[in-house]
Amino acid sequence: MSKNRVSRRQFLSYTLTGVGGFMAAGMLMPMVRFAVDPVLQAKAGGNYIPTPQKVADITEVPTRVDFTFEQQDAWYNSEETGTAWVYKDDKGEIVALSPVCKHLGCVVNWEGDKSNPDHFYCPCHGGLYTKDGTNVPGTPPIAPLDVYPYIEKDGYLHLGKAEPKKGA
Amino acid sequence: MKWISQDIDMYLKSKEYVDTAVLPLFPVSLRDDIKQTAAMSEFISLLSIQLERQFRGRLVMFPGYSYLKSFPEDKLISDIKLWEKELTEKGFKHVLYLTSDSSWKALESQFDGGLIWLPSLPLEHMDEQYKNTILDDQVKQLLQLFLQKWQSGE
Ligand code: FES
């Protein structure tokens, strides 16, 4: 009868191995997945959002590009929209600017004011930015427009998270 | 700016730049027009989100004023007048109401603020993408209206 009995010590060691095993697996699994699955890794590192804008169609004139993405706030998934002003500069490089005014956050428009062609205009307090996003002194904004990092994928423009302009 | 503590902090810091108050008007009915009033409120609340995003530096989007369709007209008028008084006294130069309920059109002449009336669109049958485009279009039209209001007031 005592043959099948599990001693206290045995019981403890069984359970601990079991639990420890789970914990180890829980920690290792994601690491292994990052190590072996390059697709997964790119996704985690990149976070570029696809836009409907074909890279080939981008011109020298800033064009408004709207895109949607899923935003996860805690448990809640929502569809968010974003906007960028996109054009090619004289060197042929793509520039994607955030439309959010650096004064108090209204949305700026390219040539939104007739008396200021070739500028981004903020309708709220008359903020002005030159084509490269630099704020015009004497208008309320105190910093240049944020810049989106971008990649080209399958011919379409994908945007990252807008960052303050470098070197400004 | 939205009616949330973070945005209100911003408002308190930059009051001199914020001269416009927008108050959405939300009809509620439990009678035959229950569905229409819900659709109107839905449309206006989505629109108010987009509008706030466009002009957040110059306006405060107040939480809406909800009212029963069965309220008598004098009650509606006196409520709106109270809002108007408070808002103008506290420094808002432009007070605007946003609604889909056409009964306000008949009352508009009795208060000072501007009424922005837009027919509600049947959003329930639209997919997300299309909905956003439609709302964007509406906001673009409102952009002109706001610019005119601001220019005439300066
Ligand atoms: S928010 Fe753009 S100038 Fe004030």
Side-chain angles (χ1 to χ4, degrees):
Chain A
M1 149 159 206
S2 66
K3 234 202 238 159
N4 286 336
R5 267 186 79 187
V6 178
S7 75
R8 181 182 298 251
R9 176 181 306 239
Q10 270 175 320
F11 173 76
L12 264 177
S13 84
Y14 286 156
T15 32
L16 281 183
T17 329
V19 171
F22 267 121
M23 279 166 58
M27 271 158 34
L28 279 173
M29 280 294 281
M31 289 199 245
V32 171
R33 273 169 58 194
F34 275 122
V36 296
D37 193 340
V39 176
L40 215 108
Q41 207 174 22
K43 224 181 186 174
N47 264 333
Y48 282 87
I49 295 155
T51 72
Q53 177 68 47
K54 280 207 183 92
V55 170
D57 294 348
I58 298 175
T59 64
E60 263 138 54
V61 183
T63 310
R64 193 184 152 137
V65 174
D66 292 302
F67 52 94
T68 52
F69 56 97
E70 292 260 305
Q71 171 114 351
Q72 202 177 11
D73 293 316
W75 312 112
Y76 181 70
N77 265 323
S78 63
E79 185 119 332
E80 282 289 321
T81 58
T83 301
W85 287 102
V86 177
Y87 66 92
K88 279 191 182 127
D89 67 13
D90 342 321
K91 288 179 228 111
E93 298 261 353
I94 295 171
V95 179
L97 296 173
S98 153
V100 177
C101 181
K102 296 299 263 186
H103 177 221
L104 292 173
C106 292
V107 174
V108 304
N109 282 306
W110 175 245
E111 304 201 317
D113 180 33
K114 285 183 198 70
S115 44
N116 285 293
D118 261 349
H119 281 78
F120 290 101
Y121 176 71
C122 177
C124 284
H125 316 101
L128 283 173
Y129 303 84
T130 52
K131 189 171 173 182
D132 65 354
T134 311
N135 51 305
V136 174
T139 67
I142 35 149
L145 294 172
D146 285 354
V147 182
Y148 285 103
Y150 68 90
I151 50 169
E152 182 183 343
K153 211 167 156 190
D154 307 324
Y156 285 89
L157 184 71
H158 290 225
L159 298 175
K161 203 172 161 350
E163 295 156 353
K165 189 177 163 138
K166 283 180 215 98
Chain B
M1 289 152 206
K2 298 190 276 281
W3 192 248
I4 57 171
S5 48
Q6 193 187 357
D7 284 10
I8 294 310
D9 270 343
M10 183 162 121
Y11 164 68
L12 293 172
K13 264 183 239 142
S14 22
K15 257 187 186 172
E16 69 272 29
Y17 289 105
V18 187
D19 64 354
T20 305
V22 181
L23 181 66
L25 307 175
F26 297 130
V28 177
S29 163
L30 295 168
R31 304 180 189 182
D32 294 344
D33 47 353
I34 179 168
K35 188 87 191 271
Q36 286 96 298
T37 55
M40 287 176 188
S41 301
E42 180 187 12
F43 174 68
I44 291 300
S45 83
L46 287 173
L47 191 69
S48 68
I49 294 172
Q50 299 254 13
L51 195 62
E52 190 274 336
R53 198 175 287 168
Q54 170 69 48
F55 293 122
R56 55 173 330 181
R58 188 160 174 180
L59 60 75
V60 176
M61 185 61 71
F62 282 92
Y65 167 64
S66 311
Y67 54 95
L68 287 170
K69 281 297 274 174
S70 53
F71 279 178
E73 278 184 5
D74 351 334
K75 166 154 174 67
L76 292 177
I77 293 170
S78 69
D79 277 5
I80 288 299
K81 283 199 161 150
L82 286 176
W83 274 95
E84 205 154 77
K85 184 155 175 280
E86 183 87 15
L87 292 171
T88 23
E89 272 175 15
K90 292 294 180 293
F92 287 100
K93 253 172 56 194
H94 307 278
V95 179
L96 295 165
Y97 310 104
L98 191 61
T99 191
S100 277
D101 179 357
S102 57
S103 28
W104 287 101
K105 287 208 274 188
L107 311 176
E108 186 184 3
S109 56
Q110 301 185 51
F111 38 81
D112 300 326
L115 183 74
I116 302 175
W117 176 81
L118 294 157
S120 104
L121 297 166
L123 296 176
E124 57 176 322
H125 305 298
M126 295 177 192
D127 68 23
E128 209 61 33
Q129 194 84 37
Y130 190 53
K131 214 192 259 186
N132 284 330
T133 325
I134 295 275
L135 287 169
D136 250 17
D137 270 3
Q138 302 270 346
V139 171
K140 262 179 220 143
Q141 285 174 32
L142 290 180
L143 191 115
Q144 290 311 317
L145 198 140
F146 273 79
L147 289 184
Q148 275 164 23
K149 273 253 164 355
W150 286 337
Q151 264 149 23
S152 65
E154 271 161 7

